[in-house]
Structure formats: C-alpha cells, structure tokens
Amino acid sequence: MLIIEQPKGIRLIQEYLAFKNAQKSSMMKLKTKSYSFSEDIRASRPFQWVRHPTEQGYRVAILLLSDILALAGAWQIARYLNQFYSPLPPQLVWWSWFDIPSLFWVFVGCTLLLFAKGNLYSVPKSSQNYLRTVKLISSVYLLSLVLIYFYDPKVDPPRSLFFTAWFSSVVFVLFGRLVATLILGQIQTRKPKKPIFIIASASQLPKLIQILQRRSQYQVVGVALASTANSSTTLNSILASKAVEVLAEDLPQTDLASALYWNLRRTGITLRLLPSSREILYRRGVSEIMAGLPTLRVETSLLVGWDYRVKRIIDFIGSFVGIILLSPLFLIIALIIKLSSKGPIFFRQERTGLQGKTFYMWKFRTMVNNASQLQSQLEAHNESQDGIMFKMKNDPRIIPFGHLMRRTSIDELPQLFNVLMGQMSLVGPRPLPLRDVEKFQAWHHIRHQVVPGITGLWQISGRSDIQDFNDAARLDLFYIDNWSLNLDLDILVETARIVLFGKGAY
C-alpha cells in the first residue's frame, strides 16, 4: 500500500489496486472482446478520427476561418494596390468566386493543405509554430512561380502583385493566428476537465496527482505503476477509465520503446511523457543509420548563433518601441503612485542575472516605502512551500493601487529599460532577489547561464500558483533545453493572454 498525504491521492491508488485485482477476469474479457488487436500495431480503429470532435472541432474551425480570412484580406489588398498599373493577367483568371479570382482559391487550397500536412491544425503547440507557418506560405508562393512558368512561359505574373500578396499573406496569417491563439487559450481555461490516466513510479504518483489537481484542467481517473506500463492489464484499465490522455514518467526499458504509444494512438488517446534532460537532447537529433546502428545525429546549424543574434535584436527593437508607445501610460501610472502613496515612483532591487552577476531591476512601486524592512517580520507567513521564494497572497505591504498593478503586471513594464540596456531579455528565466538565490541548491544556478527575462515558461505555467521552486526551476531548464525563436514568440503570446485576464497574479 502506498502512503501519501493527500486523501484523494490515496483513494485513487487504492481504487486502482482494487480494480486491478477484482476486475482482472473482466479485463481479460475486454481484451478478447472489443480491445483485442490482431492487426498491425500501427493500424487505427475504424473511424477513429471522430473520437474527440467537440474537443478539436472549435480549434480547427477557428484556425481555418482565421487563415481563410487572412489570405483573402491579403489578396484583396494586393489586387487593390496593383489593379491600376499591373493587373492580374487574364490567362490566370479561370473563374471568379465572391469577386475573387480563381488563382486565389488555388493558393488557399494549397496553403490549407500544407498547413494540415504540417500539423498546424492539430495540437496547440504545433498550431503555434509561427516559423513553420511562414515557411509553408513562402513555399506555396515560390512553387507557384515554377508552376506558372511551366503552365505558360509567356505569362509574366506582376511582380508587385506577387510580392505584395506574399508579404501580406505572411503578416495577415500570423496576426490572425496570434489573435486566434488568444481566443483559443481563453476557451481552453473554461472547458470541462479532461479525464487523464497517470503512469509513474510509486514515489512520483502522489506528487503528480497533487500537481494535476491543483494547477490544471485535468481530472485524474486512474493510475498505474510504471513497471506495468506495457502490460495488457494497464492498457485495458486506461480504456475502461475513458481517459483521453495518459501522462507517463519513467517508462521501463523494452525492446519496442514505442509499444505504449502505438497502443494508445490506435485508440485515439494522447500520450504525454515527462522527459529527462537526456530525452530532450535526443529530440534535437536526426534519426540516422550508421554502420548498421540506429543513431541520432545532433549537429549545429550552418548559421551558428544567428538565431540568438536575432533574439537580441528583437529584444532591443521591442524594448525601444515598447518604451516609446507606453510612455503615456508610464506618466499616468507615475502620477497615480505619487498621489496615492508616499515614496518614490519606481522600486529598484538588486537581482541575480547572467552568470551570477547582479544588476538593479526596475519596477513600478507597488508596496509601502519600507517594504524590504518589513519582510523579515512577515517571513513566518511565507506561503512558499520550500521557503526559497517569498509569496504572500494578502501581503499587507501592498498599496491600494498596487493590487491592480500586480494583477495586470503593469508594475513590470519599467523592466523594458533593463532589456534595452542588455541586462535582461523579453523572454527568459525570471531574475530573483539575492535573498532567494542564497537559498538555492547547486542545480538551481543552471538557470543563470542564460540572460534573464521579463517573462518565461514559469510565468505562463502557473505564475503565483507554483509553490515549489523546484518546479519553477525545472521549467527554466526545460526552456533552456528547448529554446528557439518560435518558443519565445509562443511565450510572449501566452503572456499577453494571461496578463489580459489576470490569471495567477497577486
């Protein structure tokens, strides 16, 4: 019997063990009945693609509508700008629909097919791959030049129309998908809880159950030990639980590592794995047979470091433009703080940055002037489980306007100056006060190997709801392991959604 603190966790594990023993005979019947598979392990059950129509239907519909409207708007603008001096050749207008030439509908069909093939309508993270979106749109336009030439070498499509439509399509589709992501993200938070099945070691099961119950939109409907992950009993338990997702950790070594994946895939159940840092590195590799051995080749790009240079350029331009556009808001906030509370407008605190170097991070002041001195008196009320971070939901030091600033995160806006000076980035691990860093374990300092940021995976994955710093540190390490420009953009979009709806901030 597993002993854990959470009563509900105890019940779930006990129910699983009882289910495993008491229902063993009925599970064998299920195995020989509807859940017995004798065909290829990769084959799906009949009509499996309609398993979760309501779950993915809204996402596909919204993204499809967004893409079609964006492409239509791009073409209409391109036609309007070019109709007077460089119209579309009549040889390329086979019919018109809704006053839009046939060539547009061919472009739309090809683009949507490539998007579907590129998984841009599937799971949220794939649909938010903005760099892939740009590549696929560009592929359609470049391929069209080749096809038009072979269709009729004498036809010369207007270059102004071509490049205007190309550029407009990229901008409009990206903007439409950014807006759709904000809408879909908010719909996601209001959906009923998903039934999920957990497979993990005995020591990890209680913790995973607690995390899912506290932070997410999931309902744990069953559990199994990792050592039994590939057994038919566990598979039938998953099917009988009606789970739509399985979360697995520490799966045992088997000759066919993907056995659980294929068994779940054919029934339409999503598998989520909690990876180790080694497995994350594996994902960066390219499968390749070398000397008859299956290997993963992990190599660097020809343009080594250019993606990071682009990140720093985006940081500089984004912070500079942000400061200019938000300067009126800065003045209003400064005036409100000055009139509502005694003390300076800004709060400056020493934080730990890149490679452990300290710098002063700027914020709008949200607390009384002597908040730092009062913190020692409030340490006993710290709500952080490990005591590394100081968190107090009803902190008495917060000034009246401070609650609104913290809930909307506008108190963080002065950090754009830190970004402009190169001390911080728009996206990265959050820099922490010296008081917190002094309590770090050795592995926590790995997060200091990259430039700290205004926002990061920690902020979009729970913010103040994360009470254990180890969980926050793992998110930072996951960010470092998986960093890409697209991940940064994804985090910025999700941050905007969270800030707009004030989730997890206090």
Side-chain angles (χ1 to χ4, degrees):
M1 183 68 66
L2 298 175
I3 301 176
I4 58 178
E5 296 179 359
Q6 288 287 330
K8 193 168 184 179
I10 293 176
R11 290 198 305 271
L12 282 169
I13 296 177
Q14 288 177 335
E15 287 172 4
Y16 163 72
L17 294 175
F19 179 80
K20 179 180 176 181
N21 295 324
Q23 302 295 329
K24 187 174 181 180
S25 59
S26 62
M27 285 299 99
M28 293 302 295
K29 293 179 181 178
L30 286 172
K31 179 183 176 183
T32 58
K33 199 174 178 181
S34 57
Y35 301 133
S36 178
F37 305 112
S38 56
E39 67 274 15
D40 193 311
I41 192 173
R42 299 164 297 180
S44 299
R45 297 173 65 194
F47 308 109
Q48 192 57 52
W49 59 277
V50 297
R51 176 180 174 87
H52 309 301
T54 56
E55 179 181 344
Q56 298 185 8
Y58 291 120
R59 170 172 294 279
V60 174
I62 290 176
L63 289 175
L64 271 174
L65 180 62
S66 169
D67 291 339
I68 293 174
L69 292 178
L71 292 171
W75 267 70
Q76 289 291 56
I77 288 178
R79 287 184 63 208
Y80 178 78
L81 295 177
N82 291 275
Q83 63 180 336
F84 302 108
Y85 56 89
S86 187
L88 190 67
Q91 298 96 319
L92 298 178
V93 181
W94 306 300
W95 76 86
S96 293
W97 193 26
F98 294 108
D99 197 31
I100 301 178
S102 54
L103 190 60
F104 160 76
W105 297 109
V106 174
F107 268 80
V108 170
C110 294
T111 303
L112 297 183
L113 285 175
L114 280 180
F115 279 9
K117 181 66 176 176
N119 293 323
L120 294 182
Y121 296 112
S122 57
V123 296
K125 293 304 177 185
S126 297
S127 63
Q128 295 168 23
N129 194 326
Y130 305 107
L131 294 181
R132 182 185 296 171
T133 301
V134 174
K135 290 179 182 178
L136 292 180
I137 294 175
S138 300
S139 299
V140 172
Y141 278 88
L142 293 175
L143 182 61
S144 69
L145 288 179
V146 178
L147 294 178
I148 289 174
Y149 175 79
F150 284 103
Y151 172 72
D152 189 346
K154 298 179 181 179
V155 175
D156 185 18
R159 292 174 179 81
S160 56
L161 175 65
F162 177 84
F163 286 106
T164 303
W166 184 359
F167 179 77
S168 300
S169 296
V170 170
V171 173
F172 280 37
V173 169
L174 285 182
F175 178 77
R177 282 187 164 253
L178 289 174
V179 174
T181 298
L182 294 176
I183 296 173
L184 290 168
Q186 195 57 21
I187 293 175
Q188 177 78 17
T189 61
R190 299 182 180 182
K191 291 197 312 183
K193 292 188 174 184
K194 287 184 180 179
I196 188 169
F197 194 99
I198 303 178
I199 300 175
S201 61
S203 60
Q204 283 293 97
L205 275 175
K207 180 180 179 180
L208 292 176
I209 292 172
Q210 293 172 20
I211 290 174
L212 290 174
Q213 289 173 347
R214 186 173 68 244
R215 299 181 196 162
S216 70
Q217 297 297 313
Y218 289 98
Q219 177 185 359
V220 180
V221 294
V223 297
L225 297 177
S227 58
T228 67
N230 294 302
S231 68
S232 59
T233 302
T234 295
L235 175 61
N236 285 308
S237 298
I238 295 171
L239 297 173
S241 70
K242 304 299 182 182
V244 299
E245 292 190 7
V246 171
L247 177 66
E249 184 180 32
D250 295 331
L251 293 179
Q253 294 287 341
T254 59
D255 292 333
L256 182 61
S258 58
L260 178 63
Y261 163 74
W262 287 114
N263 283 325
L264 294 177
R265 180 182 182 269
R266 68 197 312 192
T267 58
I269 298 176
T270 301
L271 174 63
R272 293 182 182 269
L273 296 173
L274 289 175
S276 66
S277 57
R278 183 183 63 225
E279 289 164 340
I280 290 173
L281 180 61
Y282 286 169
R283 288 207 298 269
R284 290 185 177 272
V286 178
S287 300
E288 190 176 85
I289 301 297
M290 182 198 72
L293 299 173
T295 67
L296 290 172
R297 187 183 76 253
V298 183
E299 59 184 6
T300 57
S301 170
L302 294 176
L303 302 176
V304 179
W306 274 100
D307 50 356
Y308 180 73
R309 292 186 177 93
V310 172
K311 171 184 173 67
R312 299 308 290 162
I313 292 172
I314 293 174
D315 285 340
F316 180 82
I317 296 175
S319 58
F320 182 75
V321 173
I323 290 170
I324 294 176
L325 295 179
L326 296 172
S327 55
L329 179 61
F330 282 19
L331 293 175
I332 294 174
I333 295 172
L335 182 61
I336 294 175
I337 294 175
K338 201 65 179 177
L339 294 177
S340 62
S341 174
K342 293 181 180 180
I345 295 171
F346 295 101
F347 172 71
R348 189 183 73 157
Q349 187 180 48
E350 201 170 6
R351 299 284 178 111
T352 304
L354 180 63
Q355 300 300 340
K357 296 179 181 178
T358 59
F359 68 98
Y360 283 100
M361 192 186 78
W362 292 82
K363 299 176 66 174
F364 282 120
R365 184 172 60 86
T366 60
M367 293 186 175
V368 294
N369 198 25
N370 61 338
S372 299
Q373 291 76 20
L374 294 176
Q375 180 170 327
S376 59
Q377 304 174 17
L378 299 172
E379 287 287 353
H381 303 284
N382 189 0
E383 297 175 4
S384 178
Q385 291 181 358
D386 49 25
I388 293 181
M389 299 178 291
F390 182 84
K391 289 185 176 294
M392 190 174 177
K393 200 161 191 177
N394 298 311
D395 198 321
R397 300 172 297 166
I398 301 178
I399 62 177
F401 185 57
H403 290 285
L404 177 62
M405 286 193 290
R406 284 171 168 253
R407 189 164 58 250
T408 57
S409 297
I410 59 177
D411 61 318
E412 312 284 356
L413 292 179
Q415 288 156 41
L416 290 173
F417 289 100
N418 291 114
V419 177
L420 191 63
M421 292 186 291
Q423 299 167 329
M424 294 178 63
S425 173
L426 294 176
V427 181
R430 187 73 175 151
L432 295 178
L434 302 185
R435 172 245 178 228
D436 298 355
V437 176
E438 289 174 355
K439 300 182 179 182
F440 273 14
Q441 299 176 28
W443 69 276
H444 291 161
H445 291 277
I446 299 175
R447 67 197 302 275
H448 294 146
Q449 295 184 23
V450 298
V451 178
I454 296 179
T455 185
L457 277 181
W458 175 4
Q459 283 64 46
I460 68 171
S461 303
R463 302 180 78 185
S464 299
D465 295 333
I466 295 180
Q467 302 297 329
D468 189 341
F469 182 72
N470 286 335
D471 293 339
R474 290 189 185 96
L475 288 172
D476 291 333
L477 300 190
F478 183 88
Y479 168 78
I480 297 172
D481 281 330
N482 290 272
W483 178 78
S484 68
L485 289 174
N486 195 82
L487 178 59
D488 276 4
L489 181 57
D490 190 17
I491 291 173
L492 288 173
V493 172
E494 184 65 12
T495 299
R497 185 187 69 82
I498 291 175
V499 168
L500 287 174
F501 298 98
K503 179 185 176 183
Y506 56 79

